[in-house]
Amino acid sequence: MIVDMVLSTSRRVTSILILTLIVSKGRAFSPFLLRSPRSSLTYLMLSSSSSPPPQSSSSKPSIKHVVIVGGGVVGTSTAYYLAENHEISSTIIDPSGTIAPAASGKAGGFLALDWNDYSPVGRLARRSFELHQEIADKLGTDKIQYRRLTCASIRVDPTAAAKPKGKKLEYVEWAQTEDEAAAVLAAQPLGDENTIAQVHPKLLCQSLWDVASTPKEDGGVGSNLIQGKATGAVYDSDGNLVGVRLEDDSIIEGDAVMFSCGPWTANIMTGVKYHSVVIPTDRTLSQCVFFSGCGDPEVYVRPDNTAYCCGFPDAPIPVREEPGQEEVRPEAVQRIIDAVHDASGGTETGGALTASPSVESSCYLPTTPDNLPIMGALSKECGGGPSCFIATGHSCWGILMGPASGESMAALIATGKSKHVNLDSFDPSRFRDMLVLK
């Protein structure tokens, strides 16, 4: 989600029908083609931000318990909305035996209302931004570290001459103070409290699961989490779903199954590996920054006086590492540390991001061949069948789109239709060679 400066008004969006975005040489384009003010395609869209008709099916399935393969944000969001909206329990199966062991627990948690407008995921993003606020209001903002804040694109050059003393650079909250050397050359706002928010991904997933797994005696539906590696859906001789088979040949029974295992979900999936660090800050900051220069690091500040910093993604590859066991390469971590040190003023000037990191991690962002999510009913030819579903491939916007994806999939599973978001653009049938868990 690399954002560059867009200072010329001729580069801004001038029509709801055509959006032309420019990407610099050698840089990866946005998986959804609009994460920021630039990308690699010209979009011709009629209107994706208006409310679409709901996806529906001819009959309402009888569902009492759902098996969800994958404990990330899509899986936990689906379990949450199955419980809250439909009083349906679920079993989450994850190889780690924990909630959000991979990208959903290691992401930055940046939320943008309108950065995906005029793309096929525009409505999904907007609905999910609304749901994040609803979840925070219900579960507590402190519990999941949810807040509204601002965002800016800042162009930096540590070799630049110092700016005149006392000159305040508009839109820059913290990258430099007035007495420091002027690495900041220009800045542009990318959103304010009306369109930008953040959440702690791990805390969000765990809190959603806490609701879904509330015991029946305490007023919940009693969903449960088990450790295991699923191998596929199981059907009886009449073609009725039995449940999910595990690697040890045991079967977890359910009336419906949903596969949501990130880049491990299907044979057509790839993962883009990102490294990240969490750096303590000397005060609570409230401006997320996409730097242009110093390697273009991304910084998502948090309310607990830390900053999540990432950048320099690897090329997409089929993922072989296990969820939660992704290798952290020291040289990749150091590259991020050096970049944010330089971008925030350098160690000599005591910049905001000069402390040693408290957390170092890596994860894979799940991507699909056409860079759109896969959500909907899963056919027999793809390793599914009746009452079998899939939801994956949200790439860098997984945390943002998790709640609306979960709400939509819960409704589709429970009632046969998605109420708020049209899922047609994400239909799994567009990939004829797809096989789940392969």
Side-chain angles (χ1 to χ4, degrees):
M1 194 162 37
I2 307 299
V3 178
D4 200 358
M5 302 303 298
V6 184
L7 301 178
S8 170
T9 57
S10 65
R11 294 184 184 179
R12 296 182 179 176
V13 178
T14 59
S15 170
I16 64 171
L17 298 178
I18 301 178
L19 176 61
T20 304
L21 301 167
I22 302 173
V23 71
S24 61
K25 183 179 179 180
R27 300 288 295 281
F29 65 89
S30 163
F32 296 140
L33 310 176
L34 181 56
R35 292 187 291 178
S36 66
R38 66 178 189 176
S39 184
S40 64
L41 292 183
T42 298
Y43 250 130
L44 301 179
M45 303 294 296
L46 292 177
S47 175
S48 65
S49 59
S50 60
S51 298
Q55 175 173 311
S56 62
S57 64
S58 58
S59 61
K60 178 181 177 180
S62 177
I63 304 295
K64 296 181 180 180
H65 187 77
V66 178
V67 180
I68 299 172
V69 183
V73 68
V74 175
T76 53
S77 293
T78 303
Y80 173 82
Y81 284 108
L82 282 170
E84 289 290 280
N85 294 351
H86 308 286
E87 297 184 348
I88 294 174
S89 62
S90 58
T91 294
I92 285 184
I93 303 170
D94 196 278
S96 71
T98 62
I99 293 297
S104 294
K106 301 175 182 179
F110 178 76
L111 312 175
L113 171 66
D114 54 2
W115 286 21
N116 289 283
D117 284 357
Y118 318 112
S119 80
V121 296
R123 174 57 186 165
L124 183 66
R126 281 184 168 267
R127 175 60 182 168
S128 213
F129 192 87
E130 298 170 4
L131 291 178
H132 273 288
Q133 182 68 63
E134 290 183 13
I135 291 169
D137 291 341
K138 184 170 185 177
L139 302 185
T141 55
D142 292 342
K143 186 175 183 180
I144 59 176
Q145 290 190 16
Y146 176 90
R147 64 172 177 165
R148 297 295 183 100
L149 70 172
T150 65
C151 179
S153 174
I154 298 179
R155 185 153 55 94
V156 293
D157 181 359
T159 66
K163 65 180 180 290
K165 187 175 178 61
K167 181 180 178 182
K168 184 175 177 61
L169 188 57
E170 191 177 7
Y171 308 130
V172 180
E173 177 201 35
W174 58 271
Q176 293 286 340
T177 68
E178 293 183 2
D179 293 329
E180 293 172 357
V184 176
L185 300 181
Q188 179 188 6
L190 299 177
D192 57 22
E193 290 85 352
N194 294 312
T195 61
I196 302 296
Q198 71 175 166
V199 69
H200 192 295
K202 182 75 170 183
L203 297 178
L204 171 66
C205 293
Q206 188 60 58
S207 296
L208 293 174
W209 180 243
D210 288 344
V211 173
S213 60
T214 300
K216 293 182 179 180
E217 56 267 27
D218 294 332
V221 298
S223 298
N224 65 304
L225 169 68
I226 66 171
Q227 183 174 7
K229 191 169 184 179
T231 59
V234 178
Y235 290 84
D236 63 21
S237 57
D238 295 325
N240 300 310
L241 179 72
V242 176
V244 172
R245 189 182 303 278
L246 302 185
E247 202 170 43
D248 63 4
D249 214 32
S250 62
I251 296 176
I252 307 301
E253 296 184 356
D255 304 307
V257 171
M258 187 183 81
F259 297 98
S260 55
C261 322
W264 298 274
T265 305
N267 61 327
I268 63 169
M269 302 287 297
T270 56
V272 176
K273 192 171 192 176
Y274 268 84
H275 284 76
S276 63
V277 297
V278 176
I279 296 178
T281 58
D282 60 1
R283 62 192 185 278
T284 303
L285 303 170
S286 58
Q287 182 185 62
C288 293
V289 174
F290 295 84
F291 285 107
S292 175
C294 299
D296 301 349
E298 305 168 16
V299 178
Y300 310 117
V301 294
R302 289 175 169 171
D304 61 352
N305 287 18
T306 63
Y308 176 100
C309 310
C310 65
F312 311 107
D314 292 356
I317 60 169
V319 179
R320 306 304 180 202
E321 297 181 272
E322 291 295 313
Q325 299 180 25
E326 300 88 349
E327 177 191 12
V328 177
R329 302 195 306 271
E331 69 278 9
V333 168
Q334 191 60 51
R335 189 179 184 189
I336 296 171
I337 294 172
D338 292 342
V340 296
H341 280 184
D342 291 343
S344 66
T347 55
E348 290 83 5
T349 59
L353 301 175
T354 57
S356 298
S358 57
V359 178
E360 301 174 358
S361 64
S362 69
C363 63
Y364 289 94
L365 306 185
T367 58
T368 65
D370 61 3
N371 299 305
L372 290 176
I374 303 171
M375 293 195 291
L378 188 64
S379 69
K380 181 179 180 180
E381 291 74 19
C382 294
S387 302
C388 198
F389 302 84
I390 185 173
T392 188
H394 295 73
S395 191
C396 63
W397 291 114
I399 302 303
L400 168 63
M401 299 180 186
S405 297
E407 179 191 52
S408 298
M409 292 306 300
L412 183 62
I413 293 169
T415 71
K417 62 181 180 181
S418 170
K419 180 179 179 181
H420 295 283
V421 179
N422 189 331
L423 302 180
D424 288 350
S425 295
F426 317 128
D427 193 334
S429 65
R430 69 189 193 272
F431 297 117
R432 296 184 178 180
D433 296 330
M434 180 173 67
L435 290 173
V436 292
L437 305 182
K438 301 297 183 182

